[in-house]
Amino acid sequence: MTTPQVPPRPAALITGGSGGIGLELARCLARDHHELVIVARREAGLAAAAAELRAAGAAGVTTVPADLARPAEVERLLATLHASAIDIGILVNNAGFGTAGAFARTPLDDELAMIQTNVAALTHLTKRLLPAMLRRRSGRILNVASTAAFQPGPFMAVYYATKAYVLSFSQALAEELRDTGVTATALCPGPTTTSFAARAGMEETRLFARNISMSATAVAKAGYAGMMRGDRIVVPGAGNKLVAQASRLAPRALVTRISRRLNEGRSRPD
Ligand SMILES: NC(=O)c1ccc[n+]([C@@H]2O[C@H](COP(=O)([O-])OP(=O)(O)OC[C@H]3O[C@@H](n4cnc5c(N)ncnc54)[C@H](OP(=O)(O)O)[C@@H]3O)[C@@H](O)[C@H]2O)c1
């Protein structure tokens, strides 16, 4: 007698899965024995994360080094998945970064790379991986936005705008996907202890210097649970929930001035 072949459970793809919030989300998925694909630029970071995730229970880990700030690399990632016959059932669009400073003086190339990574790559991967989820009538999409999505952010104008896009796109998509078996969730963390603030040059700003950052573990745990439930928005932490709610209710001009104060350093970033 032959045992009927059970098709393997589709894998989870996590962009930026080698560090910070992405690695913590990957750990959550590994503990539930998912097959994982993790993507980041640096191979050494990917290799270290893969070893740890296998030990944590992942059914398998594939690493794909790719710079999502380059559109051709998004296509190369998709081609790698296709060539390896890896189906994706959970898409975690987490990779992203910010830059700080007065818009008149910040480098355009950095901002175009940010829009490509935070917005275009996220949209590109969702567009290409969603159809198979719909055919299976099963899938989860988690887009990592930010509490920055709820208001404009002077001195981080482009970053806040990218996150407003991620939130708006995810909410619209979630409604389009109603009753399809596929869900879209926007995770909106506030300040979180990762490499993000250092890369953005934000460590001395009021936002990060106030020492109110959440741990990446707590953020990921909330995001993972929300994604699995199919929640449309997850704002981890009571303080961040308050910020999100207040930003919605207070006059936009006031919220924008407060945001400016938080993004300014002890001296104004420029
Ligand atoms: N930390 C916060 O305070 C905070 C708050 C709200 C929202 N977020 C959002 O959370 C997400 C994760 O940020 P994080 O704080 O965990 O940052 P992080 O600690 O800097 O980790 C970023 C991850 O993304 C990868 N990555 C960065 N640029 C990439 C690129 N161009 N292509 C491919 N992979 C790339 C990094 O690996 P490599 O460097 O090797 O590429 C790393 O694995 C981002 O979307 C961020 O905007 C963060």
PDB file of all heavy atoms in Angstrom, residues 9 27-35 56-59 224 228:
ATOM      1  N   ARG A   9       3.431  22.008   2.880  1.00  0.00           N
ATOM      2  CA  ARG A   9       2.828  23.297   3.230  1.00  0.00           C
ATOM      3  C   ARG A   9       3.645  24.407   2.559  1.00  0.00           C
ATOM      4  O   ARG A   9       4.881  24.385   2.636  1.00  0.00           O
ATOM      5  CB  ARG A   9       2.868  23.435   4.755  1.00  0.00           C
ATOM      6  CG  ARG A   9       2.212  24.691   5.276  1.00  0.00           C
ATOM      7  CD  ARG A   9       1.938  24.605   6.763  1.00  0.00           C
ATOM      8  NE  ARG A   9       3.127  24.459   7.603  1.00  0.00           N
ATOM      9  CZ  ARG A   9       3.180  24.796   8.892  1.00  0.00           C
ATOM     10  NH1 ARG A   9       2.107  25.264   9.504  1.00  0.00           N
ATOM     11  NH2 ARG A   9       4.277  24.620   9.593  1.00  0.00           N
ATOM     12  N   ARG A  27      11.578  33.842  13.672  1.00  0.00           N
ATOM     13  CA  ARG A  27      11.640  32.936  14.841  1.00  0.00           C
ATOM     14  C   ARG A  27      10.250  32.429  15.194  1.00  0.00           C
ATOM     15  O   ARG A  27      10.067  31.260  15.526  1.00  0.00           O
ATOM     16  CB  ARG A  27      12.239  33.658  16.053  1.00  0.00           C
ATOM     17  CG  ARG A  27      13.727  33.847  15.984  1.00  0.00           C
ATOM     18  CD  ARG A  27      14.279  34.349  17.325  1.00  0.00           C
ATOM     19  NE  ARG A  27      15.723  34.471  17.241  1.00  0.00           N
ATOM     20  CZ  ARG A  27      16.411  35.596  17.442  1.00  0.00           C
ATOM     21  NH1 ARG A  27      15.785  36.713  17.773  1.00  0.00           N
ATOM     22  NH2 ARG A  27      17.731  35.612  17.339  1.00  0.00           N
ATOM     23  N   CYS A  28       9.245  33.321  15.142  1.00  0.00           N
ATOM     24  CA  CYS A  28       7.855  32.905  15.439  1.00  0.00           C
ATOM     25  C   CYS A  28       7.423  31.814  14.456  1.00  0.00           C
ATOM     26  O   CYS A  28       6.822  30.806  14.842  1.00  0.00           O
ATOM     27  CB  CYS A  28       6.891  34.091  15.311  1.00  0.00           C
ATOM     28  SG  CYS A  28       7.130  35.386  16.537  1.00  0.00           S
ATOM     29  N   LEU A  29       7.731  32.027  13.168  1.00  0.00           N
ATOM     30  CA  LEU A  29       7.346  31.054  12.137  1.00  0.00           C
ATOM     31  C   LEU A  29       8.116  29.744  12.303  1.00  0.00           C
ATOM     32  O   LEU A  29       7.565  28.655  12.112  1.00  0.00           O
ATOM     33  CB  LEU A  29       7.603  31.644  10.752  1.00  0.00           C
ATOM     34  CG  LEU A  29       6.609  32.742  10.335  1.00  0.00           C
ATOM     35  CD1 LEU A  29       7.243  33.739   9.375  1.00  0.00           C
ATOM     36  CD2 LEU A  29       5.363  32.114   9.707  1.00  0.00           C
ATOM     37  N   ALA A  30       9.404  29.846  12.689  1.00  0.00           N
ATOM     38  CA  ALA A  30      10.219  28.638  12.885  1.00  0.00           C
ATOM     39  C   ALA A  30       9.656  27.793  14.018  1.00  0.00           C
ATOM     40  O   ALA A  30       9.588  26.557  13.914  1.00  0.00           O
ATOM     41  CB  ALA A  30      11.669  29.036  13.194  1.00  0.00           C
ATOM     42  N   ARG A  31       9.222  28.458  15.078  1.00  0.00           N
ATOM     43  CA  ARG A  31       8.678  27.701  16.228  1.00  0.00           C
ATOM     44  C   ARG A  31       7.429  26.924  15.826  1.00  0.00           C
ATOM     45  O   ARG A  31       7.118  25.902  16.408  1.00  0.00           O
ATOM     46  CB  ARG A  31       8.384  28.646  17.397  1.00  0.00           C
ATOM     47  CG  ARG A  31       9.650  29.034  18.165  1.00  0.00           C
ATOM     48  CD  ARG A  31       9.314  29.692  19.498  1.00  0.00           C
ATOM     49  NE  ARG A  31       8.836  31.043  19.317  1.00  0.00           N
ATOM     50  CZ  ARG A  31       9.618  32.128  19.285  1.00  0.00           C
ATOM     51  NH1 ARG A  31      10.919  32.008  19.410  1.00  0.00           N
ATOM     52  NH2 ARG A  31       9.101  33.325  19.118  1.00  0.00           N
ATOM     53  N   ASP A  32       6.714  27.411  14.790  1.00  0.00           N
ATOM     54  CA  ASP A  32       5.541  26.682  14.292  1.00  0.00           C
ATOM     55  C   ASP A  32       5.906  25.778  13.108  1.00  0.00           C
ATOM     56  O   ASP A  32       5.031  25.351  12.342  1.00  0.00           O
ATOM     57  CB  ASP A  32       4.428  27.670  13.905  1.00  0.00           C
ATOM     58  CG  ASP A  32       3.718  28.217  15.149  1.00  0.00           C
ATOM     59  OD1 ASP A  32       3.873  27.612  16.235  1.00  0.00           O
ATOM     60  OD2 ASP A  32       3.020  29.242  15.033  1.00  0.00           O
ATOM     61  N   HIS A  33       7.212  25.543  12.946  1.00  0.00           N
ATOM     62  CA  HIS A  33       7.747  24.569  11.982  1.00  0.00           C
ATOM     63  C   HIS A  33       7.429  24.903  10.531  1.00  0.00           C
ATOM     64  O   HIS A  33       7.218  24.000   9.710  1.00  0.00           O
ATOM     65  CB  HIS A  33       7.262  23.151  12.339  1.00  0.00           C
ATOM     66  CG  HIS A  33       7.511  22.806  13.777  1.00  0.00           C
ATOM     67  ND1 HIS A  33       8.771  22.743  14.310  1.00  0.00           N
ATOM     68  CD2 HIS A  33       6.649  22.566  14.798  1.00  0.00           C
ATOM     69  CE1 HIS A  33       8.692  22.473  15.606  1.00  0.00           C
ATOM     70  NE2 HIS A  33       7.410  22.363  15.934  1.00  0.00           N
ATOM     71  N   HIS A  34       7.373  26.172  10.204  1.00  0.00           N
ATOM     72  CA  HIS A  34       7.197  26.551   8.801  1.00  0.00           C
ATOM     73  C   HIS A  34       8.512  26.384   8.040  1.00  0.00           C
ATOM     74  O   HIS A  34       9.599  26.490   8.610  1.00  0.00           O
ATOM     75  CB  HIS A  34       6.741  28.017   8.697  1.00  0.00           C
ATOM     76  CG  HIS A  34       5.313  28.214   9.074  1.00  0.00           C
ATOM     77  ND1 HIS A  34       4.280  28.064   8.177  1.00  0.00           N
ATOM     78  CD2 HIS A  34       4.737  28.525  10.256  1.00  0.00           C
ATOM     79  CE1 HIS A  34       3.130  28.297   8.795  1.00  0.00           C
ATOM     80  NE2 HIS A  34       3.376  28.563  10.058  1.00  0.00           N
ATOM     81  N   GLU A  35       8.371  26.154   6.749  1.00  0.00           N
ATOM     82  CA  GLU A  35       9.493  26.218   5.806  1.00  0.00           C
ATOM     83  C   GLU A  35       9.730  27.709   5.547  1.00  0.00           C
ATOM     84  O   GLU A  35       8.758  28.444   5.312  1.00  0.00           O
ATOM     85  CB  GLU A  35       9.045  25.495   4.531  1.00  0.00           C
ATOM     86  CG  GLU A  35       9.929  25.609   3.350  1.00  0.00           C
ATOM     87  CD  GLU A  35      10.975  24.507   3.336  1.00  0.00           C
ATOM     88  OE1 GLU A  35      10.657  23.384   3.758  1.00  0.00           O
ATOM     89  OE2 GLU A  35      12.096  24.807   2.891  1.00  0.00           O
ATOM     90  N   ALA A  56      15.715  26.375  15.787  1.00  0.00           N
ATOM     91  CA  ALA A  56      14.471  26.771  16.489  1.00  0.00           C
ATOM     92  C   ALA A  56      13.259  25.978  16.006  1.00  0.00           C
ATOM     93  O   ALA A  56      12.169  26.128  16.565  1.00  0.00           O
ATOM     94  CB  ALA A  56      14.232  28.260  16.303  1.00  0.00           C
ATOM     95  N   GLY A  57      13.437  25.169  14.932  1.00  0.00           N
ATOM     96  CA  GLY A  57      12.322  24.299  14.522  1.00  0.00           C
ATOM     97  C   GLY A  57      11.828  24.493  13.105  1.00  0.00           C
ATOM     98  O   GLY A  57      10.875  23.812  12.683  1.00  0.00           O
ATOM     99  N   ALA A  58      12.450  25.391  12.336  1.00  0.00           N
ATOM    100  CA  ALA A  58      11.989  25.607  10.952  1.00  0.00           C
ATOM    101  C   ALA A  58      12.080  24.298  10.167  1.00  0.00           C
ATOM    102  O   ALA A  58      13.046  23.540  10.317  1.00  0.00           O
ATOM    103  CB  ALA A  58      12.840  26.679  10.281  1.00  0.00           C
ATOM    104  N   ALA A  59      11.081  24.047   9.319  1.00  0.00           N
ATOM    105  CA  ALA A  59      11.090  22.819   8.526  1.00  0.00           C
ATOM    106  C   ALA A  59      12.239  22.840   7.526  1.00  0.00           C
ATOM    107  O   ALA A  59      12.726  21.788   7.094  1.00  0.00           O
ATOM    108  CB  ALA A  59       9.760  22.677   7.794  1.00  0.00           C
ATOM    109  N   TYR A 224       2.841  38.634  14.534  1.00  0.00           N
ATOM    110  CA  TYR A 224       2.619  37.255  14.093  1.00  0.00           C
ATOM    111  C   TYR A 224       1.220  36.774  14.485  1.00  0.00           C
ATOM    112  O   TYR A 224       0.491  36.214  13.662  1.00  0.00           O
ATOM    113  CB  TYR A 224       3.682  36.351  14.709  1.00  0.00           C
ATOM    114  CG  TYR A 224       3.596  34.906  14.277  1.00  0.00           C
ATOM    115  CD1 TYR A 224       3.736  34.556  12.942  1.00  0.00           C
ATOM    116  CD2 TYR A 224       3.368  33.889  15.205  1.00  0.00           C
ATOM    117  CE1 TYR A 224       3.662  33.231  12.539  1.00  0.00           C
ATOM    118  CE2 TYR A 224       3.288  32.561  14.810  1.00  0.00           C
ATOM    119  CZ  TYR A 224       3.434  32.238  13.473  1.00  0.00           C
ATOM    120  OH  TYR A 224       3.343  30.925  13.074  1.00  0.00           O
ATOM    121  N   MET A 228      -1.787  35.851  11.830  1.00  0.00           N
ATOM    122  CA  MET A 228      -2.410  34.533  11.802  1.00  0.00           C
ATOM    123  C   MET A 228      -3.925  34.625  12.034  1.00  0.00           C
ATOM    124  O   MET A 228      -4.682  33.842  11.469  1.00  0.00           O
ATOM    125  CB  MET A 228      -1.745  33.609  12.833  1.00  0.00           C
ATOM    126  CG  MET A 228      -0.372  33.155  12.399  1.00  0.00           C
ATOM    127  SD  MET A 228      -0.332  32.656  10.661  1.00  0.00           S
ATOM    128  CE  MET A 228       1.034  31.547  10.581  1.00  0.00           C
TER     129      MET A 228
END
